Amino acid sequence: QSKLMGFITVKKRKNRATVGLLAVSSEHRRQGVGRSLIQRAKCFALQQGCASLSVGTQATNTGANTLYSKEGFVVERSESWFHLWVSETT
């Protein structure tokens, strides 16, 4: 029986590719799974004739930021998003 180690989604729009989601199971982190997924996304982007591959993540996600930096990604822009859960009052 095989276990899912991780997954990645990549969307192509015109000549740009974007990673939507990348996840690696906790038991398989720091074993090269994320790196392999990013490398596969790079291959996909090249095969599709894309000029770039981008990914968004949170500044506090040090694991993801380290991975992306090691794989050659550079910070293009930084944004702050605020979220508030609003519950109904009766």
Side-chain angles (χ1 to χ4, degrees):
Q1 183 176 358
S2 61
K3 288 186 176 183
L4 181 66
M5 296 188 306
F7 69 90
I8 191 167
T9 64
V10 183
K11 179 178 18 177
K12 177 186 181 258
R13 178 176 277 163
K14 297 187 181 180
N15 69 338
R16 294 186 59 127
T18 304
V19 172
L21 296 171
L22 185 148
V24 176
S25 72
S26 57
E27 61 194 66
H28 292 99
R29 290 184 185 150
R30 302 189 57 80
Q31 297 177 24
V33 175
R35 182 173 186 247
S36 293
L37 292 169
I38 287 293
Q39 288 176 352
R40 184 62 191 107
K42 288 179 183 179
C43 288
F44 171 80
L46 285 171
Q47 290 169 350
Q48 296 298 310
C50 294
S52 66
L53 174 64
S54 62
V55 61
T57 191
Q58 297 172 339
T60 57
N61 190 340
T62 55
N65 286 307
T66 299
L67 170 64
Y68 300 140
S69 178
K70 285 182 179 179
E71 288 302 310
F73 289 81
V74 294
V75 175
E76 184 176 84
R77 86 175 164 258
S78 180
E79 298 177 353
S80 296
W81 290 52
F82 294 88
H83 181 88
L84 173 68
W85 289 101
V86 181
S87 59
E88 288 186 39
T89 57
T90 54

